[in-house]
Amino acid sequence: MSNTVIAPSILAADFARLAESAGAVEGSADWLHVDVMDYHFVPNLTIGLPVVQSLRKATTLPFDCHLMIADPARWATQYAEAGAYNVTFHAEAATDPVAIAKDLRKAGSRAGLAIDRDTPVEGYLELLPHFDLLLIMTIKAGFGGQAFIPELLDKVRTARRHVDAGHLELRIEVDGGVADDTIAACAEAGADTFVAGTAVFGAEDPAAAVRRLRALANG
Ligand SMILES: O=C(CO)[C@@H](O)[C@H](O)COP(=O)(O)O
Ligand SMILES: [Fe+2]
């Protein structure tokens, strides 16, 4: 059975119809990726805890919450308590990432560490045993619809080598510009988890787009 996870990002959905958009990919997607932005860590504002709490009641899809917020130590566990399956926060915003990971697991979610475009992965490899997921941005965090940056796949290759050598149980997720023409390269580099916003919710048939992405990732 394939290990591939496809996580459509509702950042590219119609914010007045979030429940409908989630429903459109139930049955085809594995997780729903929820981008939380706070106008501080990134120059954009999206959705926060109340929307996550309401949406949690509207879909059966597990939530993959990607916190692009300045103070994850303060807020991250609340997303776990709201029922998120994964809560991923940015390494650049955390003074003690391992402490936050422990709090998240205690609060009932899985813990994810994200690294933005300009952050090298090497400094975080030793922390990975404390995490369930490593999110490697393939754009600069902040906005959907940006062009994929292929050079960033070197970080995926480095992380994959480390994870395999250490037999770590960790998903490697790519986020940003993942689409029909880029997903195979992400999979070849070693990603097993794929966020796609525009490629799914910008498509006429989001469920078909998810199925196509999965087939391309699986080669
Ligand atoms: O975290 C982010 C943006 O910062 C992403 O999750 C975007 O939502 C990806 O959108 P596309 O690049 O797939 O349109
Ligand atoms: Fe994201």
Side-chain angles (χ1 to χ4, degrees):
M1 215 174 90
S2 156
N3 188 34
T4 300
V5 164
I6 306 286
S9 168
I10 54 161
L11 185 61
D14 179 345
F15 273 25
R17 294 194 164 87
L18 288 177
E20 259 174 67
S21 298
V25 293
E26 267 178 32
S28 59
D30 301 284
W31 301 344
L32 192 68
H33 186 81
V34 181
D35 288 305
V36 175
M37 306 189 193
D38 68 349
Y39 263 157
H40 290 276
F41 182 71
V42 288
N44 195 4
L45 181 71
T46 55
I47 63 179
L49 201 54
V51 176
V52 170
Q53 286 165 335
S54 294
L55 196 58
R56 186 55 291 166
K57 297 177 223 143
T59 174
T60 56
L61 283 169
F63 284 179
D64 181 36
C65 286
H66 176 194
L67 306 185
M68 284 159 276
I69 62 174
D71 194 356
R74 178 167 178 196
W75 301 110
T77 53
Q78 295 192 40
Y79 289 85
E81 285 155 12
Y85 179 70
N86 290 311
V87 179
T88 298
F89 60 91
H90 271 264
E92 302 85 1
T95 43
D96 188 348
V98 172
I100 302 175
K102 286 183 178 161
D103 287 346
L104 283 171
R105 285 173 165 179
K106 237 183 275 163
S109 78
R110 293 157 147 250
L113 185 70
I115 54 171
D116 206 352
R117 182 191 64 188
D118 300 329
T119 304
V121 70
E122 283 79 3
Y124 295 99
L125 296 175
E126 294 310 318
L127 305 189
L128 295 182
H130 298 278
F131 287 88
D132 303 289
L133 178 144
L134 173 67
L135 185 161
I136 297 178
M137 294 302 305
T138 37
I139 54 167
K140 170 95 181 136
F143 297 89
Q146 301 181 65
F148 181 80
I149 305 170
E151 291 74 22
L152 297 178
L153 291 181
D154 283 344
K155 291 194 230 181
V156 175
R157 290 185 193 97
T158 300
R160 173 52 63 201
R161 275 195 300 273
H162 185 83
V163 165
D164 288 352
H167 305 287
L168 301 180
E169 286 234 1
L170 180 97
R171 302 203 73 91
I172 300 179
E173 180 173 60
V174 281
D175 185 5
V178 176
D180 289 6
D181 57 342
T182 56
I183 195 166
C186 297
E188 268 162 39
D192 54 21
T193 304
F194 307 88
V195 176
T198 309
V200 172
F201 290 114
E204 214 164 288
D205 182 344
V210 170
R211 288 193 293 270
R212 198 166 55 241
L213 287 167
R214 189 186 303 283
L216 290 164
N218 289 341

